Amino acid sequence: MSAPVHPPVGVGKREAKMKGGEDRHAKTGWFSRITLAILVFLWVVPVIGLLLTSFRSRDDQAEGGWWRLFTDPASITRLTFDNYVNAIQGRNLGDAFINSLAIALPATFIPLLIAAFAAYAFTFMEFPGRDVLFIVVVTMLIIPNFVAFVPVLKIYRDIGIGGTFPAVWLFHVGFGMSLAIYVLRNFMSSLPRTVIESAKIDGASQFQTFWRLVLPMSVPAIASIAIFQFLWVWNDLLVALVFLGPGERAPLTVSISQMLGQQGQGQELVTAAGFFSMIVPIMVFLLLQRFFVRGLTAGAVKG
Amino acid sequence: MLLKVTTALITVLAGIGVAVLLFWLLNKLAEALPSRWEERLKPFFYILPAYAAITMFLVYPAIQTVIYSFKTRVGFPAESWTGLDNYRDLLGSPAFRDTLFNTLLWIIIVPTATVMVGLAVAVMADRLREKAERAVKTIIFMPMAISLVGAGTVWGLVYDFRPLGTPQVGIQNAIVVALGGDPVPWVQESAFRFNSMLLMVMLLWAQAGFAMVLLSAAVKGVPVDTLEAARIDGANEAQIFTKVIVPQIWSTIVTVFVTVLIAVMKIFDIVYVMTNGNFNTNVVANEFYAQFFTNNNQGAASAIVVMLMIAIIPVMAYQVRNFRREEANR
């Protein structure tokens, strides 16, 4: 699974057309256009439905779906933020949002720090066993995190950090790091070696070379993998469910999954809650699209 | 709220601080050594935290999980060996065999459908004008950013069911009712695993963008000369697609397929939020969670993980082989 690590083209980025090459646009048949239109429609309508429903009052929701905004325009005047207010305050989603951040930020920073040092050692340092140790990292890439739940939960209970944020961070360190090492090492080995050699000749220590030279040059790769790791943790349900569970430290995913599980009362809040949880990922997506695409495609192999 | 934010902030800063401090100390330690040793040991100081984490979270738990899978009452005073009982009980139970069959359906259907949709969008959008292509791809890719719990809220609304006679909120039932039918409780319709398929649609929706990005890059890499040559020889568009484009991007297709396959083997979130494994939609990851938490049967949970790992070993071998080949070409 080497290809995802270097996707050469981002969403919509197009290479310059070859000179004399036939115009590829020439043959866009009706079949293609219609198929694409249908797919785009199917992809986007569920999300628009959720967005519109989240602003409809409880009573309006009971009278029919979001399309009634078009069939019964009077209901547009009754659109409201109440669902958001009630979900964020009444269902503690504000707290859950902070929990999500408190989990995701260190769970992104710490594995990247560890991985950057290791990737530097693997790329620019000579030591016995280097290749074998790196193969270990590649093997670890796709091991599913399921292998660790039962034993690690037991360890956490024994040393008394069960149900805390550090417990979750450490787990994400263990499972986020191999991918980060792999991607960063691939990137670092494409850096011009002469620059690094000359820094050494000028008397820079390994640490200075790493900190002042290699790290700044690796920013594109670090940004991509940081975005991937952040979103992976932000969107994670299972790890948070196992190590934190529902309760005062639950992140958004866990809180909302509990809301989805309850039928009846407060169903109108689920739509608002769902959209609330998507705000951060969608912002990241829109603002950092280039890094985002590279990060997600590189990270898809993660176990 | 303010207290909450402050506590969270302090915890976050402390955690990050400790990590930075660790490397600072390791570096100081290495520099304090005689310079001959410094150069020799420094690489190991740099990779030490990484391997400590790998040992604690992967190697040790993997071994421990295999051991637990042969035990009963794990974690209780009466913990004892039971040989293959956990495996025998699981594989002997019709419910677990249904779970395995469901998982198999997911593994066959979802990667195939994802590759097909991704490839279709990649090839068709390639011929659009640049702006239109960009817009189409952005929309197809967007669900990749959203959590599967978020997808659960999106599709929960699509599949929503209200009893006959009350207004439908879900669009699928609204259409059925508008056409004169009775509303259907979609996620409970287990005939022909129909509800499982509806859950698969959710994962397809979430992952097709990933397939599209990689396949689109590959399609754009196909030399225009080869397409032209085929056209001159009188090939039609379908032939060009199957005989010229697909063979040239085959390795990417395999990569995408395998990557989605690994994700599907571990699928948990969708089933957890939509049905919690009821109505015959259970898959192995959810059965693992149920054994682990609901039944408190760590032995059975571990046995499920071991089966999952055995299924993943071939993929792992493929990965290492691929990596070796890539290194050789470097």
Short mmCIF file of all heavy atoms in Angstrom, two decimals, chain B residues 122-163:
data_model
loop_
_atom_site.label_atom_id
_atom_site.label_comp_id
_atom_site.label_asym_id
_atom_site.label_seq_id
_atom_site.Cartn_x
_atom_site.Cartn_y
_atom_site.Cartn_z
N ALA B 122 -14.06 9.54 -11.10
CA ALA B 122 -12.73 9.96 -11.56
C ALA B 122 -12.70 10.09 -13.08
O ALA B 122 -12.24 11.09 -13.62
CB ALA B 122 -11.67 8.98 -11.07
N VAL B 123 -13.21 9.07 -13.76
CA VAL B 123 -13.13 9.07 -15.22
C VAL B 123 -14.08 10.10 -15.83
O VAL B 123 -13.72 10.85 -16.73
CB VAL B 123 -13.45 7.65 -15.75
CG1 VAL B 123 -13.59 7.67 -17.27
CG2 VAL B 123 -12.36 6.69 -15.34
N MET B 124 -15.30 10.15 -15.30
CA MET B 124 -16.28 11.07 -15.89
C MET B 124 -15.93 12.52 -15.59
O MET B 124 -16.03 13.38 -16.47
CB MET B 124 -17.68 10.76 -15.36
CG MET B 124 -18.22 9.45 -15.90
SD MET B 124 -19.79 9.11 -15.13
CE MET B 124 -20.15 7.52 -15.83
N ALA B 125 -15.53 12.81 -14.35
CA ALA B 125 -15.24 14.20 -14.00
C ALA B 125 -13.99 14.70 -14.72
O ALA B 125 -13.84 15.89 -14.95
CB ALA B 125 -15.06 14.32 -12.48
N ASP B 126 -13.13 13.78 -15.10
CA ASP B 126 -11.91 14.14 -15.81
C ASP B 126 -12.22 14.87 -17.11
O ASP B 126 -11.43 15.64 -17.62
CB ASP B 126 -11.11 12.86 -16.10
CG ASP B 126 -9.75 13.17 -16.67
OD1 ASP B 126 -9.11 14.11 -16.16
OD2 ASP B 126 -9.33 12.49 -17.62
N ARG B 127 -13.39 14.62 -17.66
CA ARG B 127 -13.73 15.23 -18.95
C ARG B 127 -14.50 16.53 -18.80
O ARG B 127 -14.83 17.17 -19.80
CB ARG B 127 -14.59 14.26 -19.77
CG ARG B 127 -13.85 12.98 -20.05
CD ARG B 127 -14.83 11.88 -20.26
NE ARG B 127 -14.14 10.67 -20.66
CZ ARG B 127 -14.62 9.82 -21.54
NH1 ARG B 127 -15.77 10.07 -22.13
NH2 ARG B 127 -13.97 8.73 -21.83
N LEU B 128 -14.85 16.87 -17.57
CA LEU B 128 -15.58 18.13 -17.38
C LEU B 128 -14.60 19.30 -17.43
O LEU B 128 -13.38 19.12 -17.38
CB LEU B 128 -16.26 18.12 -16.01
CG LEU B 128 -17.38 17.13 -15.80
CD1 LEU B 128 -17.85 17.20 -14.35
CD2 LEU B 128 -18.55 17.41 -16.73
N ARG B 129 -15.17 20.50 -17.52
CA ARG B 129 -14.34 21.69 -17.38
C ARG B 129 -13.76 21.74 -15.98
O ARG B 129 -14.32 21.19 -15.05
CB ARG B 129 -15.18 22.93 -17.65
CG ARG B 129 -15.08 23.43 -19.05
CD ARG B 129 -16.09 24.53 -19.26
NE ARG B 129 -17.17 24.06 -20.13
CZ ARG B 129 -17.00 23.81 -21.44
NH1 ARG B 129 -15.82 23.95 -21.99
NH2 ARG B 129 -18.01 23.41 -22.17
N GLU B 130 -12.64 22.45 -15.85
CA GLU B 130 -11.90 22.40 -14.60
C GLU B 130 -12.75 22.76 -13.38
O GLU B 130 -12.70 22.08 -12.37
CB GLU B 130 -10.69 23.33 -14.69
CG GLU B 130 -9.66 23.02 -13.62
CD GLU B 130 -8.37 23.78 -13.86
OE1 GLU B 130 -8.05 24.08 -15.02
OE2 GLU B 130 -7.70 24.07 -12.87
N LYS B 131 -13.53 23.85 -13.51
CA LYS B 131 -14.31 24.30 -12.35
C LYS B 131 -15.35 23.27 -11.96
O LYS B 131 -15.55 22.98 -10.78
CB LYS B 131 -15.00 25.64 -12.67
CG LYS B 131 -14.15 26.81 -12.26
CD LYS B 131 -14.96 28.10 -12.34
CE LYS B 131 -14.08 29.28 -11.98
NZ LYS B 131 -14.60 30.54 -12.55
N ALA B 132 -16.04 22.71 -12.97
CA ALA B 132 -17.07 21.71 -12.69
C ALA B 132 -16.44 20.47 -12.07
O ALA B 132 -16.97 19.90 -11.11
CB ALA B 132 -17.81 21.35 -13.98
N GLU B 133 -15.28 20.08 -12.59
CA GLU B 133 -14.61 18.90 -12.06
C GLU B 133 -14.28 19.11 -10.59
O GLU B 133 -14.52 18.25 -9.74
CB GLU B 133 -13.31 18.65 -12.84
CG GLU B 133 -12.54 17.45 -12.30
CD GLU B 133 -11.23 17.21 -13.00
OE1 GLU B 133 -10.90 17.97 -13.92
OE2 GLU B 133 -10.55 16.26 -12.60
N ARG B 134 -13.77 20.30 -10.29
CA ARG B 134 -13.40 20.62 -8.92
C ARG B 134 -14.61 20.55 -7.99
O ARG B 134 -14.54 19.99 -6.90
CB ARG B 134 -12.82 22.03 -8.91
CG ARG B 134 -11.88 22.28 -7.79
CD ARG B 134 -11.48 23.75 -7.78
NE ARG B 134 -10.89 24.05 -6.51
CZ ARG B 134 -9.61 23.83 -6.25
NH1 ARG B 134 -8.80 23.37 -7.18
NH2 ARG B 134 -9.11 24.06 -5.05
N ALA B 135 -15.73 21.12 -8.46
CA ALA B 135 -16.94 21.15 -7.63
C ALA B 135 -17.44 19.73 -7.37
O ALA B 135 -17.74 19.36 -6.22
CB ALA B 135 -18.02 21.98 -8.32
N VAL B 136 -17.49 18.92 -8.43
CA VAL B 136 -17.98 17.55 -8.27
C VAL B 136 -17.11 16.80 -7.28
O VAL B 136 -17.60 16.14 -6.35
CB VAL B 136 -17.97 16.82 -9.64
CG1 VAL B 136 -18.17 15.33 -9.45
CG2 VAL B 136 -19.04 17.38 -10.55
N LYS B 137 -15.79 16.92 -7.43
CA LYS B 137 -14.89 16.16 -6.56
C LYS B 137 -14.97 16.63 -5.13
O LYS B 137 -14.90 15.82 -4.20
CB LYS B 137 -13.47 16.29 -7.07
CG LYS B 137 -13.22 15.47 -8.31
CD LYS B 137 -11.86 15.77 -8.82
CE LYS B 137 -11.29 14.64 -9.63
NZ LYS B 137 -9.91 14.94 -9.97
N THR B 138 -15.11 17.95 -4.93
CA THR B 138 -15.21 18.46 -3.57
C THR B 138 -16.42 17.87 -2.87
O THR B 138 -16.35 17.44 -1.72
CB THR B 138 -15.30 20.00 -3.59
OG1 THR B 138 -14.15 20.51 -4.26
CG2 THR B 138 -15.34 20.56 -2.19
N ILE B 139 -17.54 17.81 -3.59
CA ILE B 139 -18.77 17.29 -2.97
C ILE B 139 -18.64 15.81 -2.66
O ILE B 139 -19.01 15.36 -1.57
CB ILE B 139 -19.98 17.56 -3.90
CG1 ILE B 139 -20.31 19.05 -3.84
CG2 ILE B 139 -21.17 16.71 -3.51
CD1 ILE B 139 -21.29 19.51 -4.87
N ILE B 140 -18.07 15.05 -3.58
CA ILE B 140 -17.95 13.61 -3.32
C ILE B 140 -16.95 13.35 -2.19
O ILE B 140 -17.09 12.41 -1.42
CB ILE B 140 -17.50 12.86 -4.59
CG1 ILE B 140 -18.45 13.13 -5.76
CG2 ILE B 140 -17.38 11.36 -4.35
CD1 ILE B 140 -19.78 12.46 -5.70
N PHE B 141 -15.94 14.23 -2.07
CA PHE B 141 -14.91 13.99 -1.06
C PHE B 141 -15.33 14.43 0.34
O PHE B 141 -14.86 13.86 1.33
CB PHE B 141 -13.62 14.72 -1.46
CG PHE B 141 -12.41 14.27 -0.68
CD1 PHE B 141 -11.81 13.06 -0.96
CD2 PHE B 141 -11.90 15.04 0.35
CE1 PHE B 141 -10.71 12.63 -0.25
CE2 PHE B 141 -10.80 14.61 1.08
CZ PHE B 141 -10.20 13.41 0.78
N MET B 142 -16.20 15.43 0.41
CA MET B 142 -16.56 16.03 1.69
C MET B 142 -16.93 15.04 2.81
O MET B 142 -16.46 15.21 3.95
CB MET B 142 -17.71 17.02 1.48
CG MET B 142 -18.16 17.73 2.72
SD MET B 142 -17.42 19.34 2.89
CE MET B 142 -18.53 20.33 1.94
N PRO B 143 -17.72 14.00 2.56
CA PRO B 143 -18.10 13.11 3.66
C PRO B 143 -16.91 12.44 4.34
O PRO B 143 -17.00 12.02 5.49
CB PRO B 143 -18.97 12.04 2.98
CG PRO B 143 -19.50 12.70 1.78
CD PRO B 143 -18.42 13.64 1.32
N MET B 144 -15.77 12.36 3.66
CA MET B 144 -14.53 11.83 4.24
C MET B 144 -14.16 12.57 5.52
O MET B 144 -13.53 12.01 6.40
CB MET B 144 -13.49 12.07 3.18
CG MET B 144 -12.33 11.17 2.93
SD MET B 144 -12.35 9.46 2.97
CE MET B 144 -10.72 9.16 3.62
N ALA B 145 -14.55 13.86 5.61
CA ALA B 145 -14.18 14.67 6.76
C ALA B 145 -15.06 14.40 7.97
O ALA B 145 -14.67 14.62 9.10
CB ALA B 145 -14.26 16.15 6.40
N ILE B 146 -16.27 13.91 7.70
CA ILE B 146 -17.27 13.79 8.75
C ILE B 146 -17.11 12.47 9.48
O ILE B 146 -16.74 11.46 8.87
CB ILE B 146 -18.67 13.88 8.10
CG1 ILE B 146 -18.84 15.22 7.40
CG2 ILE B 146 -19.76 13.67 9.12
CD1 ILE B 146 -20.07 15.28 6.53
N SER B 147 -17.38 12.46 10.77
CA SER B 147 -17.30 11.20 11.50
C SER B 147 -18.44 10.28 11.08
O SER B 147 -19.46 10.73 10.56
CB SER B 147 -17.39 11.46 13.00
OG SER B 147 -18.68 11.92 13.33
N LEU B 148 -18.25 8.98 11.31
CA LEU B 148 -19.31 8.06 10.96
C LEU B 148 -20.50 8.23 11.89
O LEU B 148 -21.63 7.88 11.54
CB LEU B 148 -18.79 6.62 10.96
CG LEU B 148 -17.79 6.34 9.83
CD1 LEU B 148 -17.23 4.93 9.92
CD2 LEU B 148 -18.42 6.55 8.46
N VAL B 149 -20.26 8.78 13.08
CA VAL B 149 -21.39 9.13 13.95
C VAL B 149 -22.19 10.25 13.29
O VAL B 149 -23.42 10.23 13.25
CB VAL B 149 -20.90 9.55 15.34
CG1 VAL B 149 -22.06 10.01 16.20
CG2 VAL B 149 -20.17 8.41 16.03
N GLY B 150 -21.46 11.24 12.75
CA GLY B 150 -22.12 12.31 12.01
C GLY B 150 -22.89 11.75 10.82
O GLY B 150 -24.03 12.13 10.57
N ALA B 151 -22.27 10.80 10.13
CA ALA B 151 -22.96 10.14 9.02
C ALA B 151 -24.22 9.45 9.53
O ALA B 151 -25.24 9.40 8.83
CB ALA B 151 -22.03 9.13 8.34
N GLY B 152 -24.15 8.95 10.76
CA GLY B 152 -25.32 8.31 11.36
C GLY B 152 -26.47 9.30 11.53
O GLY B 152 -27.64 8.95 11.30
N THR B 153 -26.16 10.55 11.90
CA THR B 153 -27.23 11.54 12.01
C THR B 153 -27.78 11.89 10.63
O THR B 153 -28.98 12.08 10.47
CB THR B 153 -26.75 12.82 12.73
OG1 THR B 153 -25.71 13.42 11.96
CG2 THR B 153 -26.22 12.53 14.11
N VAL B 154 -26.88 11.95 9.64
CA VAL B 154 -27.31 12.28 8.27
C VAL B 154 -28.24 11.19 7.74
O VAL B 154 -29.36 11.46 7.28
CB VAL B 154 -26.09 12.43 7.34
CG1 VAL B 154 -26.54 12.55 5.89
CG2 VAL B 154 -25.26 13.63 7.73
N TRP B 155 -27.78 9.96 7.81
CA TRP B 155 -28.54 8.87 7.20
C TRP B 155 -29.67 8.38 8.10
O TRP B 155 -30.65 7.81 7.61
CB TRP B 155 -27.61 7.73 6.79
CG TRP B 155 -26.81 8.15 5.61
CD1 TRP B 155 -25.63 8.83 5.63
CD2 TRP B 155 -27.16 7.99 4.23
NE1 TRP B 155 -25.22 9.09 4.35
CE2 TRP B 155 -26.14 8.59 3.47
CE3 TRP B 155 -28.23 7.40 3.56
CZ2 TRP B 155 -26.16 8.63 2.09
CZ3 TRP B 155 -28.26 7.42 2.18
CH2 TRP B 155 -27.23 8.03 1.45
N GLY B 156 -29.53 8.60 9.40
CA GLY B 156 -30.63 8.29 10.30
C GLY B 156 -31.89 9.06 9.88
O GLY B 156 -33.00 8.55 9.95
N LEU B 157 -31.65 10.28 9.41
CA LEU B 157 -32.77 11.10 8.94
C LEU B 157 -33.32 10.57 7.61
O LEU B 157 -34.53 10.55 7.41
CB LEU B 157 -32.29 12.55 8.80
CG LEU B 157 -33.37 13.59 8.54
CD1 LEU B 157 -34.32 13.67 9.72
CD2 LEU B 157 -32.74 14.95 8.30
N VAL B 158 -32.42 10.13 6.74
CA VAL B 158 -32.87 9.59 5.45
C VAL B 158 -33.73 8.34 5.66
O VAL B 158 -34.76 8.16 5.03
CB VAL B 158 -31.66 9.25 4.55
CG1 VAL B 158 -32.10 8.53 3.30
CG2 VAL B 158 -30.89 10.52 4.19
N TYR B 159 -33.28 7.47 6.59
CA TYR B 159 -33.96 6.19 6.80
C TYR B 159 -35.06 6.28 7.86
O TYR B 159 -35.61 5.26 8.28
CB TYR B 159 -32.95 5.12 7.24
CG TYR B 159 -31.87 4.82 6.24
CD1 TYR B 159 -30.61 4.41 6.66
CD2 TYR B 159 -32.10 4.91 4.87
CE1 TYR B 159 -29.60 4.12 5.74
CE2 TYR B 159 -31.11 4.63 3.95
CZ TYR B 159 -29.86 4.23 4.39
OH TYR B 159 -28.87 3.94 3.49
N ASP B 160 -35.34 7.49 8.34
CA ASP B 160 -36.28 7.66 9.45
C ASP B 160 -37.63 7.01 9.14
O ASP B 160 -38.10 7.02 8.00
CB ASP B 160 -36.48 9.16 9.71
CG ASP B 160 -37.29 9.42 10.95
OD1 ASP B 160 -36.67 9.54 12.02
OD2 ASP B 160 -38.53 9.49 10.85
N PHE B 161 -38.22 6.45 10.18
CA PHE B 161 -39.52 5.76 10.02
C PHE B 161 -40.52 6.28 11.04
O PHE B 161 -40.21 6.34 12.23
CB PHE B 161 -39.33 4.25 10.19
CG PHE B 161 -40.59 3.49 10.44
CD1 PHE B 161 -41.48 3.24 9.40
CD2 PHE B 161 -40.89 3.01 11.71
CE1 PHE B 161 -42.66 2.54 9.63
CE2 PHE B 161 -42.06 2.30 11.94
CZ PHE B 161 -42.94 2.08 10.89
N ARG B 162 -41.70 6.71 10.57
CA ARG B 162 -42.80 7.07 11.48
C ARG B 162 -43.96 6.13 11.15
O ARG B 162 -44.15 5.77 9.99
CB ARG B 162 -43.23 8.52 11.27
CG ARG B 162 -42.12 9.54 11.43
CD ARG B 162 -41.78 9.75 12.91
NE ARG B 162 -40.41 10.22 13.06
CZ ARG B 162 -40.06 11.44 13.46
NH1 ARG B 162 -40.99 12.32 13.75
NH2 ARG B 162 -38.80 11.77 13.59
N PRO B 163 -44.74 5.79 12.17
CA PRO B 163 -45.83 4.85 11.93
C PRO B 163 -46.80 5.35 10.85
O PRO B 163 -46.89 6.55 10.61
CB PRO B 163 -46.54 4.77 13.29
CG PRO B 163 -45.56 5.26 14.27
CD PRO B 163 -44.65 6.20 13.57
#
